[in-house]
Amino acid sequence: QVQLVESGGGLVQPGGSLNLSCAASGSIFDINVMGWYRQAPGKEREYVAHIISGGRTNYADSMKGRFTISRDNAKNMVYLQMNNLKPEDTAVYLCYVVNNRLYWGQGTQVTVSS
C-alpha cells in the first residue's frame, strides 16, 4: 500500500507561480513512475506530466515551457513547479505513483484568477 500526501495548491493571479509537492509513504520500494494529472469541474481527468526513476520527463503540450516536474528519490517526493499560470490551469491537481499498481493522491486545488 502507498499513501500520497499533496501540498502547495492555492489561489494565484494569472502569471503567478506555484510549486506542488507530493510525498509518498508506505510500500514505496522501486517506484518507477511519479506524475500529475488534473481535473476541472465537469471535465475529464487530464494528463499533466510524469517522471520516471531514471529522471526522464514528459509533459502535456499545453504545459511545456511553463511546468517543470522533478523528483527526490531519497525523500520519495515528486514536485510540479508551475510558472506563468493561466486561468485555464484552474483544477484539482492529483499526484500519482506506479509501484506494481497505480496509486492516487487526494488532490490539491489550484485556482488562477484575477
Side-chain angles (χ1 to χ4, degrees):
Q1 186 180 15
V2 174
Q3 297 81 43
L4 302 176
V5 179
E6 298 145 311
S7 61
L11 174 64
V12 297
Q13 294 182 325
S17 298
L18 285 173
N19 187 30
L20 307 183
S21 300
C22 176
S25 62
S27 300
I28 51 176
F29 306 106
D30 298 322
I31 293 177
N32 184 31
V33 179
M34 307 183 79
W36 298 87
Y37 274 69
R38 69 185 186 185
Q39 189 166 23
K43 298 185 67 176
E44 298 86 358
R45 188 168 294 183
E46 178 187 23
Y47 171 79
V48 174
H50 77 265
I51 183 168
I52 62 174
S53 59
R56 186 173 183 178
T57 60
N58 188 77
Y59 300 90
D61 287 343
S62 62
M63 291 81 176
K64 289 180 180 178
R66 300 190 299 123
F67 294 2
T68 302
I69 190 170
S70 61
R71 65 189 287 171
D72 186 333
N73 291 333
K75 296 180 179 179
N76 298 308
M77 297 190 70
V78 62
Y79 307 92
L80 186 68
Q81 178 65 47
M82 309 167 66
N83 299 322
N84 301 316
L85 284 163
K86 302 180 290 184
E88 50 263 47
D89 294 319
T90 296
V92 174
Y93 283 72
L94 299 137
C95 175
Y96 76 92
V97 304
V98 179
N99 182 21
N100 67 56
R101 62 152 288 178
L102 181 65
Y103 295 89
W104 293 99
Q106 80 288 347
T108 184
Q109 177 70 48
V110 172
T111 303
V112 185
S113 177
S114 299

